[in-house]
């Protein structure tokens, strides 16, 4: 097993982790421990290159610093990636080797489930490290965070819609949802129950068909979701989908969804703002999941009350962010980032 620091000017520390015996190659990135131990999930993907994996772990771990801070948690930002196809290259030995590295960091990084990982994989990690959350069994096990993530996004949609149009009622409002996975599906349930009309897309045709029958949703092709006739766009699949090509296509007045790193570049927040499209910053809108995970990390007994209080506080944070952004005529993303930076500077002082 080899654990080698990767030089970085933006992160506290990044480790390259490799193990010839199990074929393991990955990274653990600790962006910031200013507010607490760095918490963020483990992702396994067949990245095109080692550089791509490094870039991903850097972006995602920085995003976790912002998400955890915005959610009012005593957690810093970190993330881990393993390079490989989770369908064919994920073995218990490889996961255990990675878990031993996490354990060797002594709790400065706490992992959880992300793309390419399952609750069963978290249980394997837990055989070698105490610094894993998202377990399905055990005294403080918090299980699947997706329903809470979706609840937080639903709140964010209502709050952002109300800020723009004066009422949080979603009856007859059309929401386009990109991605019908764990988060997108639960979100559709909330939206449907609230009387919203749904326009959906997913690369998985089965999920689309199910949404058509269960929610009376209108289905569009993958690349048609951006120009779909809708009031609100909820990205719940992949990152980087708000960019120079897609923003001009949008017909909505609000973007609020669950995907991480929705903006391809910092300029894309400005692009949305210039078009009068109100954007709920992703790391604020999708903080429900990490709030749920935090109950396990912090060994909270009354999980329900903790989650409810933190979700409400998150909603207040979003309201304040939108108010400030309107007053200053800037993107809510700029306000949300500046707020977290000020919070961290105060903590570090
Ligand atoms: P998931 O893998 O369960 O679902 C993603 C869905 O998107 C899948 O159904 C997939 O087929 C679909 N998809 C992939 N590419 C697509 C494309 N180009 N167009 C349309 N659909 C596409 O993942 P998830 O857990 O639902 O997470 C969704 C997003 O939310 C991710 O960006 C994730 O990082 C973020 N997120 C998830 C949580 C959580 O609690 N699961 C928390 C915070 C953020």
């Amino acid at each position: 097993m080899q654990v080698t620091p990767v030089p970085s000017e933006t992160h506290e520390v990044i480790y390259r982790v490799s193990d010839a015996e199990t074929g393991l190659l990955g990274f653990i990135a600790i962006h910031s421990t200013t507010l607490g131990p760095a918490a963020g999930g483990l992702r396994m993907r067949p990245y095109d290159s080692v550089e791509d994996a490094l870039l991903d772990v850097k972006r995602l771990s920085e995003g976790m610093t912002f998400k955890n801070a915005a959610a009012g948690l005593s957690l810093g930002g970190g993330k881990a990636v393993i390079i490989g196809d989770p369908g064919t290259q994920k073995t218990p030995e490889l996961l255990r080797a990675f878990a031993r590295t996490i354990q060797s960091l002594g709790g400065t990084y706490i992992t959880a489930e992300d793309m390419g990982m399952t609750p069963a994989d978290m249980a394997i990690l837990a055989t070698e490290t105490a610094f894993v959350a998202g377990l399905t069994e055990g005294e403080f096990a918090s299980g699947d965070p997706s329903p809470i993530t979706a609840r937080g996004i639903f709140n964010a949609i209502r709050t952002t819609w109300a800020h723009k149009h004066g009422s949080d009622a979603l009856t007859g409002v059309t929401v386009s949802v990109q991605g019908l996975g764990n988060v997108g599906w639960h979100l559709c349930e909330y939206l449907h129950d609230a009387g919203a009309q749904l326009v959906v897309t997913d690369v998985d045709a089965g999920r689309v068909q199910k949404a058509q029958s269960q929610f009376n949703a209108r289905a569009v092709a993958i690349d048609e979701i951006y120009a779909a006739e809708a009031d609100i766009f909820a990205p719940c699949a992949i990152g980087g989908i708000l960019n120079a090509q897609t923003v001009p296509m949008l017909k909505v007045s609000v973007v609020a969804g669950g995907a991480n790193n929705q903006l391809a570049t910092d300029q894309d927040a400005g692009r949305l703002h210039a078009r009068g499209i109100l954007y709920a910053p992703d790391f604020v809108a999708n903080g429900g999941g990490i709030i749920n995970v935090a109950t396990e990390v912090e060994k909270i007994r009354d999980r329900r009350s903790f989650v409810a209080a933190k979700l409400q506080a998150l909603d207040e944070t979003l309201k304040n962010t939108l108010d400030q952004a309107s007053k200053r005529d800037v993107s809510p993303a700029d306000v949300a980032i500046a707020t977290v930076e000020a919070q961290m500077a105060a903590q570090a002082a």
Side-chain angles (χ1 to χ4, degrees), residues 5-59:
V6 179
S8 170
E9 289 179 2
T10 49
H11 287 59
E12 282 182 18
V13 63
I14 301 174
Y15 297 104
R16 181 184 191 277
V17 184
S18 64
D19 179 47
E21 212 168 294
T22 58
L24 168 67
L25 179 57
F27 293 98
I28 297 173
I30 297 177
H31 177 256
S32 169
T33 54
T34 301
L35 299 179
L42 165 61
R43 174 173 289 195
M44 184 166 184
R45 269 189 63 190
Y47 289 97
D48 289 340
S49 66
V50 175
E51 290 71 30
D52 278 1
L54 182 57
L55 193 67
D56 205 31
V57 81
K58 285 172 89 169
R59 274 179 58 116

Side-chain angles (χ1 to χ4, degrees), residues 244-296:
Q245 285 74 47
T246 59
V247 172
M249 295 161 80
L250 295 173
K251 295 187 177 140
V252 297
S253 59
V254 161
V255 174
N260 284 316
N261 298 336
Q262 292 170 29
L263 300 166
T265 66
D266 292 346
Q267 288 89 329
D268 296 304
R271 283 196 177 95
L272 288 165
H273 183 65
R275 288 209 51 212
I277 299 170
L278 192 59
Y279 172 62
D282 50 12
F283 65 82
V284 182
N286 71 14
I290 194 68
I291 287 172
N292 195 57
V293 168
T295 61
E296 191 171 340

Side-chain angles (χ1 to χ4, degrees), residues 170-189:
L170 295 178
T171 316
V173 173
T174 302
V175 186
S176 54
V177 181
Q178 181 183 46
L180 299 168
N182 290 318
V183 171
W185 188 266
H186 288 297
L187 178 64
C188 285
E189 288 176 334

Side-chain angles (χ1 to χ4, degrees), residues 123-154:
I124 294 174
L125 295 178
T127 61
E128 299 284 348
T129 180
F131 306 114
V132 52
L135 299 171
T136 47
E137 280 173 31
E139 196 181 354
F140 296 99
S142 60
D144 178 9
S146 311
I148 310 289
T149 304
R151 180 71 220 185
I153 299 161
F154 177 66

